[in-house]
Amino acid sequence: MNHSPKPVKNGLSEEAIYEALNKSEQGIIILSSTCKVEFWNQWMELTSKISHASAINQLLSSLFPQGLTKRMSHAINMALDSGRSSLLSQKLNKYPLPLYSSETERESDNPINQMVVIKPLYCGNSITNCLISVTDVSKSVNREKVLQEIAVRAQAGVNHLRNSEEQIRTIIESAQDGIITFSEDGSIGQFNSAAANLFQLSHSAMRSASIFNLIEDFYLANSAGLKKTSQIIKEQNINSNVIELTGRRLDSSTFPIEFTLSQLERPENPGYVSIIRDITSRKQAEERLEAMAQYDTLTGLANRSLFTERLKHAIKNTKRNSNYTILLFLDLDRFKVINDTLGHEVGDCLLVEVAKRISNTLRNNDTIARIGGDEFTIILENVSNSITGGRVAEKIIKKFDTPFDILGNKLTVSVSIGIATHPGAANSITELRRNADTAMYKAKISGRNKYCYFTSDMDEETKQRLSLETDLRKAIKNNEFTLHLQPLFNLKTGTTTGAEALIRWQHPERGNIPPAQFIPVAEDCGHIAEVGKWVFLNACKLAKMIYDAGHKEFRVSINISPKEFNIYKSPEQLVDTVKSAGIEPHNIDLEITEGCIMEDTKMSIDLLSKLSDAGFHISVDDFGTGYSSLAYLRHFPLDVLKIDQSFIRDLPQDPDAIAISKAILHLAHSLRLRVVAEGVETQEQMEFLKDNKCDVIQGYHIAKPMPAEQFINWLNKNH
Amino acid sequence: MISELQSDYIKELFNVGMGAAASELSELINDEVFMSVPSFQLINWQQLNKTLGYQPSESVTMVYVSMDGQLKGRGILIYPTTASLELAHRLSEDFSPLDDLTELEEEALSEISGIIINNIISTICKQLNVNAHTSLPICERGRWDSIAEKAIDIDTSHKIMFIGMYFSIKHKDLKGELLFLQDGETINELLTHTTNALKKMGVE
Amino acid sequence: MTRILIVDDSLTMRLYISTIAKQVRIDSDIILCASAEEAIPYIDEAFDYYSLDYTLPGMSGIELANKILHRHAIAKIVMVTGNKQEAVRSRCDAIKIAMIVKPDIEEPLITFFSEEKLT
């Protein structure tokens, strides 16, 4: 032990220090400046199996068969030459020295894991020795191994999870149905390609989409945009069953889908997974099937089942709207003969043509169905008039006047029609159908090529009515109309200043038909316009006659029907007619009923203003009988109020009649309107009215309506 | 304070030292080691802090070697912790999916850093004909602000030799910042020796 | 006159090497370059001796050496390097140029510049 003597520190003897080094748990080697071993502690002895005695004074490198590693040699030299301390880590220096912790380890060639530290030792300023200390770091190595194992296992777990995830992802991805997860706020989580394709969105668009925009039902239920998906699912009662919903695409187009929903086990972010299938083609097939089940394949008309449905529906509506539903049963006369003689092909073609012809006579919401071989039915819905049944039947029968050209065959076909109306004789749908059938049978046995109502009196009534319609059309042509005039007597001046023109119809067979009877018919069949025009033109002519007879300030009143009112959209027409007759608008007074004006106040004000501006006088007829809005009354450009005769009749006894008449007079005068009292028949009435400042009276007390010449004579006499 | 020639020569010394370190490292790990041309600055603490650019809370790993003798001071290698982890992991032959350094890995990092610093010191000492003995490399890890305090416990007005350094080990490019902390006296001595060496080489 | 090209990014090194060169070849005309790029314009000229640093900014010393050899197949090139790793040596061997390891470059350089000139 050739180390330089050092002062003893802290009261420890050299021996004690030596022992400490010797007994140290680390290997301690001290080399001389020439690399010879000068100290070799017990740990080194035990682990190297080289005794202290054998080691001393030997070159360190020669103690070991394999010598020293380059790193170690270099480190030792650097320590001795330059005073460099070196650390040889276990990781980078595997087993620098062949040391073993036990015999067994030695035999199985399992060296100690070492960490070696090499330091120069000084005496004063010179380096005299080199200290090598060897530390057994096996524990650290094992600890590291354990940690690594844990980490590896954790990683394996992660990998396994990732693999499972991958697998699941692949499965989901390859599914043909769209799979989408979404959260409470509707935002889309995961989805597969099938889903993106379903909604025709790119993957990136899909990622930022919301279920609210993809499912129509969700979209509509969340118009305010505030609802959560769970809310909607609850409201719409969507459970885990398969339901049919509607999918929605970017362009707002929709398509039917099958939708299955499950909740996701995800407390921190509640959500759902949905499976979506496009069932457009299935739905289309269903619809086609349904259509096939509802339509007659030959003619395309509704079949029996659809007809039944429609009839039920129509009856329900009729109840609600309190109008009529009319059922017509049609049967082709002698169809069997045609079928038998000319064959089924011709028969079928004929049916198709018949169906077309009949369909063309109907309105859009009428139903025509083929319920049997050559049996057809028609449902007329929302009909205001039971007469319509007969009218339609007539039209159809007329259509069959023209022969059919079927595959080169000219066929004359006629049809028998039975009509049943509801409300009517029948108390049930079945009865209704039976009645229509019976009526059709009646038509057949009474000659064919005609129609019959189930109730015979309907037959008569309809016939009458229809013939009246026809006659009305002819009336103008045949000069069956005349105008009578009834004077309007001015109480103030005591003169006749005007007259009301009233239409009269002298039917060649039926004689005089009162306007109360034929005007409604005219209005119903749309003929009122012609009648009205005739009345207006001729009233103007009469006015001209009276004017020419010297009565320059005379005014003729013409009744304008409510129905015509809408036709006179341009006062210019009226003005033209007036002028062409040779007079001026101020010679004409237009009498419009109170009810008619008040029906559409805005339109009325507009139109009346135009007429008033054109120069016409305006009178409100039958005042007191309509639902006048007093508020509007002052906005109308009126000249005259005509008190309805129902009030005048009870004058001068009835206190209510007195009160009302007085009130109307007062009201009219306050509004600067003149008053005409209609239906004045007694002197007392006249006097009452005169006392109460009524301006004009009209009635039998003055004169009955007279034909034109008679009137002019009367006027000249009494003026 | 320092001439261009002195600065250039010191830089060259670092270069050579690093070359030696690269050789030794490559032998140790049995793989090629690349080292870049270092940059060299003589700066003060504020400038250093700015240049390094670490956030106070950023995790940093530091290995330092204390020097004594004619060159007193510390040689410090600073790595961002993530970089040091990568390096250590690459050096381990066994796969280590840990996100922290084990003791053994820390030791390996210390050894490598020690080799780099020591080689540089040795080159400087040899060429400038000075001596310095070094301690074992010590590794510290933690927040930049606390590390800085511990390591750079020197008067902040002192100059610091700052050498930026890039090296590539096992296909991993790394940037470590090498600092030499010396007091003013030592630096002056260093410069004097530098001038002497230059004279000897016939370079003025 | 001896023409020598010295490439090294260290000013000190450039001066040092040229001092050594001048010692051996008093009549030398020396071109100093701080990088391979700076040396490129001189490629076509034939120099008697080339001293190249291995680690250069930009193009490396080896690459420059290759370029020179491509132009002048028997050029006398020495690679002066601080990096004595085996890889460097083998690269130098591959193109048959000498290698000198810093910092003890004086002796080997003297030997190098003493070699017989080509011209």
Side-chain angles (χ1 to χ4, degrees), chain A residues 368-496:
Chain A
I368 170 172
R370 179 184 174 216
I371 56 168
D374 66 334
E375 292 175 332
F376 298 86
T377 58
I378 296 174
I379 306 171
L380 303 175
E381 269 188 77
N382 272 331
V383 182
S384 49
N385 207 319
S386 58
I387 299 298
T388 312
R391 212 179 280 142
V392 170
E394 276 255 10
K395 250 202 280 181
I396 293 173
I397 290 172
K398 270 224 168 52
K399 274 280 173 87
F400 278 74
D401 283 346
T402 327
F404 289 84
D405 189 352
I406 306 290
L407 299 178
N409 299 286
K410 213 168 179 151
L411 302 169
T412 311
V413 188
S414 65
V415 66
S416 300
I417 306 178
I419 308 175
T421 44
H422 173 84
N427 293 319
S428 68
I429 293 187
T430 327
E431 221 184 305
L432 187 69
R433 289 169 74 158
R434 206 178 32 230
N435 291 354
D437 196 42
T438 309
M440 183 185 72
Y441 183 68
K442 194 165 73 167
K444 266 207 200 299
I445 58 172
S446 55
R448 297 201 160 86
N449 195 25
K450 65 202 297 211
Y451 68 88
C452 274
Y453 273 87
F454 178 68
T455 39
S456 322
D457 49 4
M458 270 306 295
D459 290 339
E460 195 51 47
E461 190 188 314
T462 311
K463 228 181 11 186
Q464 286 259 2
R465 170 66 179 271
L466 287 180
S467 72
L468 196 66
E469 275 181 24
T470 329
D471 291 344
L472 246 180
R473 268 178 224 125
K474 293 190 263 178
I476 293 179
K477 255 194 299 194
N478 299 343
N479 288 322
E480 290 167 25
F481 289 132
T482 46
L483 278 182
H484 285 202
L485 294 161
Q486 187 177 31
L488 295 167
F489 184 77
N490 191 318
L491 283 171
K492 292 214 170 78
T493 62
T495 53
T496 300

Side-chain angles (χ1 to χ4, degrees), chain B residues 3 10 21 26 31 34 39 43 49 61 70 75 78 105-106 119 122 158 166 170 177 182 190 200:
Chain B
S3 74
I10 292 175
S26 89
D31 201 356
F34 298 94
S39 61
I43 52 179
N49 205 8
T61 302
Q70 275 178 292
I78 305 180
E105 284 171 336
E106 216 177 80
N119 270 291
S122 294
H158 282 155
Y166 294 80
K170 289 212 190 256
E177 273 116 0
Q182 256 98 22
L190 186 69
K200 260 213 287 195

